[in-house]
Amino acid sequence: MTAWVAQAPALLVALAYLVVPGLPAALCLRGVRSVVRLAAAVGVSLGIVAAASLLAPVVGLRWGVLPVVGVAIVVSIVAGALRLSDRRPTPEAIGITARRSWVWGGLAVAFLGWVVLLVLGMRDPGHPSQLYDGLFHLNAVEFILDAGDASPLHMTMVTPGEATSFYPTLWHALVSLLVPVSGGVVAATNVATIAVIALIWPVALAALTTVVFPERPLAAACAPVLGFAFSVFPLGFLNWGVLYPNLIGTVLIPILLASVLLACAPSLSWQRRTLRVLVALAVAGGTALGHPSALLGGVALLVPFAVWRAWSVARRGTAARVVVIALIGLALAVLLAVWWAANVTTHEWLPTQTIAQSVGEVAFLSPVGRSTGLLLGPLVAIGVWHLVRRRVWWVLGSYAVSIALYLAAAWLPILALRSFFVGVWYDDTTRVAALLAVWGLPLAAVGASVVGEWITQLHRARRRGVLIAVIALLAVTASSHLLAVRNDLRYLRDVSYRFDEQSQGLSPDEAALFERAESELGPDSLVVGDPLTGAGLLYAYTGHDVVFPHVTGRYGAESAVLARSLVTGDAAVCDAIEDLGVTHAVDFGDTVLFQNHYTTYDGLHDLDESPILTEVDRVGDAVLYEITGCD
């Protein structure tokens, strides 16, 4: 616990980066509630970080706090000018009442709850993610620090020699800003994970619920707390992947939806609408550079709202109807074209469920085979019933879009059609399932507020027997979700962040060897090792270059020779070593963090048998070799 206390300043800095850059613009918004301003501050802040990462190399600045401050100043000036020029009174201004302040209680509970869960799950801020993609994401942060460039157009870590390569780097840019405070890439990554989950996700849910259901302040307070009952996201993204870019992109989707809805509100002055549109664009930019699939998912969820608004306009007359139909057709054509172009299907993840299983998981809001809780699904059903009575069809349509996408991912047996719909998420059911939470949790929160009204009526009617029975039923069904939370927490501790000799990735001995290797490696050293054993993390831990910073990549023919044949030490191996400038090798045994489908790195094992390597250091079974036999 002492180690976590030492990271408190880093957590505060992370929270500041998530709020402060966009706060002036958010404070300029008029006619919105405080929680919506906080959500806007978060969304604009990440949009600013994303924009700064793109602009910094263009103007010749190294990546750091300075580009973020520069973009934030420009955004604040524009927002301030729009706010000061808007003299129109704001009849929609809303005073704070006791009920409307409940949302802050819900946010506080959610924030503290997520912090406790993640601290318990990770155990220590120095424990790295032991999952397949953790290798890439940790090393990508070091790559940004090394290059001084966080642009998504320059993430060439796994494509050495290329001038440009696109990869969404918002997550890595944010984490890199925390490294000077946290003391290392791993600690910075874990602190950023806590900040993103504990702050952004509850605020996003509360803001969307507030914007869509302003008459139900209790729902806005319940939405952040109900987030604990949805197992797949966000904890599921730490136990699968690990999906850091998808995580930061997906938590922004509710803020994106809320910002678009605010921008489309009626009876706004041009200044107010312009500011809201700019906020929505900033959030969209941050969402896109979090992960493009998150932006596309958000756009898909907005389609029913767009159709509903378009239909409202089309009803004004024949001319308007023709224009609206043409615009809708054009917009859908563009969306489909972008959707097709963004498809990254691999057919690696195939449907595994029957239609009945998939529908059942949607009904209980417990997708991807998670332990089924008994409260969330009925609350969603009550929320849906409430919206049907109010005829809020576009919200139900938006939720139906997320359901359709999940059913396609989990069940649809026509693979070509399935990949068309969910290929932007790599055909991965887990990534798609997170979309169910975007509307599922606000609907459950509406259901909870309706149940709260029923309880109040029972209390006023003094029907104590029924009241006690209802409360007892709620308590029992709520407790049923603890099993899924326990399972996620156990997986975090026993697999994803396990850091001992039984870890599936990096072990304490191997990390200790990284630390000791500093005395053996020079500034021009280049180290080769099987990345699947965690050897590639030498780069994230020390900054020394490695041949394979990730499992996949385009590393060239010489690197492939070493991966297949280093242990043989033959002439081809020595030629490759000389061409690449490799100086050292590491061997971490045969334990791998992912069962590779290929045999690419077989030549990097049993290196004690190689005639060209000399052992220079060892910690347990982790060994550092120097290449001495190719002179």
Side-chain angles (χ1 to χ4, degrees):
M1 187 55 69
T2 303
W4 282 112
V5 173
Q7 291 298 328
L11 179 60
L12 292 176
V13 171
L15 296 174
Y17 273 118
L18 293 177
V19 175
V20 174
L23 186 59
L27 292 175
C28 290
L29 291 171
R30 302 180 67 186
V32 300
R33 296 180 186 171
S34 298
V35 69
V36 178
R37 285 196 176 92
L38 178 57
V42 170
V44 174
S45 292
L46 289 175
I48 287 171
V49 173
S53 71
L54 276 168
L55 294 174
V58 175
V59 298
L61 290 176
R62 281 188 63 84
W63 177 244
V65 65
L66 185 58
V68 177
V69 171
V71 176
I73 290 174
V74 173
V75 170
S76 300
I77 291 173
V78 172
L82 289 169
R83 172 65 180 86
L84 292 174
S85 65
D86 184 11
R87 308 281 182 167
R88 183 176 173 179
T90 173
E92 52 185 318
I94 300 170
I96 296 177
T97 66
R99 282 191 172 186
R100 288 171 184 150
S101 66
W102 288 354
V103 66
W104 298 104
L107 290 175
V109 170
F111 180 86
L112 292 175
W114 285 120
V115 170
V116 169
L117 274 176
L118 291 168
V119 166
L120 291 175
M122 295 175 181
R123 300 187 188 227
D124 187 276
H127 290 184
S129 171
Q130 302 282 16
L131 302 182
Y132 176 81
D133 289 316
L135 176 64
F136 175 88
H137 297 308
L138 294 173
N139 280 337
V141 175
E142 181 60 36
F143 183 81
I144 287 173
L145 293 169
D146 194 24
D149 186 349
S151 173
L153 302 177
H154 300 156
M155 180 46 69
T156 57
M157 181 180 73
V158 297
T159 55
E162 294 189 10
T164 183
S165 178
F166 175 79
Y167 189 86
T169 55
L170 175 60
W171 171 266
H172 314 91
L174 175 65
V175 174
S176 68
L177 295 171
L178 305 180
V179 172
V181 188
S182 65
V185 170
V186 173
T189 298
N190 291 336
V191 168
T193 301
I194 292 174
V196 166
I197 291 176
L199 175 67
I200 303 181
W201 186 231
V203 169
L205 292 173
L208 180 59
T209 307
T210 297
V211 169
V212 181
F213 310 111
E215 75 286 357
R216 290 195 167 273
L218 180 58
C222 290
V225 179
L226 288 171
F228 291 104
F230 189 75
S231 175
V232 172
F233 187 84
L235 292 184
F237 277 31
L238 302 182
N239 287 331
W240 174 256
V242 60
L243 305 177
Y244 292 131
N246 294 89
L247 172 68
I248 199 169
T250 303
V251 295
L252 285 173
I253 293 177
I255 300 179
L256 174 63
L257 301 187
S259 63
V260 171
L261 297 179
L262 289 173
C264 295
S267 304
L268 297 177
S269 65
W270 73 265
Q271 297 98 330
R272 200 171 306 180
R273 190 175 304 282
T274 300
L275 179 56
R276 292 188 180 191
V277 168
L278 291 177
V279 166
L281 290 175
V283 178
T287 306
L289 293 187
H291 203 282
S293 65
L295 177 62
L296 288 174
V299 171
L301 296 183
L302 282 168
V303 167
F305 172 75
V307 172
W308 172 70
R309 285 298 301 268
W311 175 249
S312 300
V313 174
R315 294 170 63 184
R316 297 174 184 174
T318 303
R321 188 176 301 116
V322 172
V323 172
V324 165
I325 291 174
L327 290 176
I328 289 178
L330 178 62
L332 288 177
V334 171
L335 176 59
L336 290 174
V338 173
W339 196 277
W340 178 261
N343 192 299
V344 286
T345 183
T346 63
H347 295 299
E348 183 173 356
W349 293 295
L350 300 176
T352 59
Q353 299 181 4
T354 66
I355 184 63
Q357 288 174 313
S358 303
V359 171
E361 289 185 340
V362 169
F364 285 95
L365 211 58
S366 297
V368 200
R370 292 303 206 274
S371 297
T372 301
L374 301 177
L375 178 62
L376 206 54
L379 288 180
V380 172
I382 295 172
V384 169
W385 167 77
H386 177 74
L387 263 62
V388 168
R389 291 184 60 191
R390 291 181 53 204
R391 299 177 179 271
V392 188
W393 302 116
W394 75 263
V395 173
L396 298 177
S398 187
Y399 186 44
V401 169
S402 65
I403 292 174
L405 289 172
Y406 178 71
L407 294 179
W411 158 75
L412 189 60
I414 306 172
L415 296 186
L417 185 60
R418 174 179 182 264
S419 291
F420 172 78
F421 286 117
V422 299
V424 296
W425 291 278
Y426 305 92
D427 301 322
D428 179 17
T429 306
T430 298
R431 288 173 168 92
V432 178
L435 291 179
L436 291 171
V438 174
W439 282 116
L441 292 175
L443 287 172
V446 171
S449 68
V450 171
V451 172
E453 292 174 352
W454 294 345
I455 290 174
T456 300
Q457 293 169 4
L458 290 172
H459 176 70
R460 289 174 179 172
R462 298 191 178 188
R463 301 180 63 182
R464 294 181 180 177
V466 178
L467 178 62
I468 292 173
V470 170
I471 293 176
L473 179 62
L474 289 173
V476 171
T477 54
S479 65
S480 67
H481 290 276
L482 294 177
L483 179 60
V485 175
R486 186 204 67 177
N487 291 343
D488 282 321
L489 183 60
R490 180 178 293 175
Y491 199 89
L492 284 171
R493 293 172 64 86
D494 295 345
V495 180
S496 299
Y497 290 91
R498 183 168 185 168
F499 191 59
D500 56 28
E501 295 307 320
Q502 302 303 315
S503 301
Q504 65 177 9
L506 197 70
S507 72
D509 283 351
E510 293 158 358
L513 183 66
F514 287 162
E515 185 176 351
R516 290 170 54 163
E518 291 282 3
S519 62
E520 298 288 345
L521 301 177
D524 298 324
S525 296
L526 179 61
V527 184
V528 65
D530 183 354
L532 284 164
T533 65
L537 286 174
L538 175 72
Y539 184 51
Y541 272 76
T542 69
H544 288 290
D545 289 332
V546 296
V547 177
F548 301 112
H550 188 42
V551 179
T552 58
R554 295 192 294 272
Y555 302 112
E558 293 87 354
S559 299
V561 169
L562 298 185
R564 292 192 304 266
S565 309
L566 177 65
V567 68
T568 66
D570 60 21
V573 167
C574 285
D575 288 342
I577 286 172
E578 183 176 357
D579 290 343
L580 293 172
V582 179
T583 59
H584 293 78
V586 288
D587 189 348
F588 285 173
D590 296 326
T591 301
V592 294
L593 54 86
F594 180 79
Q595 293 301 319
N596 198 5
H597 299 304
Y598 311 100
T599 57
T600 308
Y601 300 104
D602 281 357
L604 300 178
H605 292 261
D606 302 315
L607 295 185
D608 57 327
E609 301 175 3
S610 176
I612 63 171
L613 301 178
T614 300
E615 180 178 323
V616 293
D617 202 356
R618 171 188 293 267
V619 179
D621 293 328
V623 187
L624 174 67
Y625 296 95
E626 183 178 2
I627 296 173
T628 58
C630 285
D631 297 334

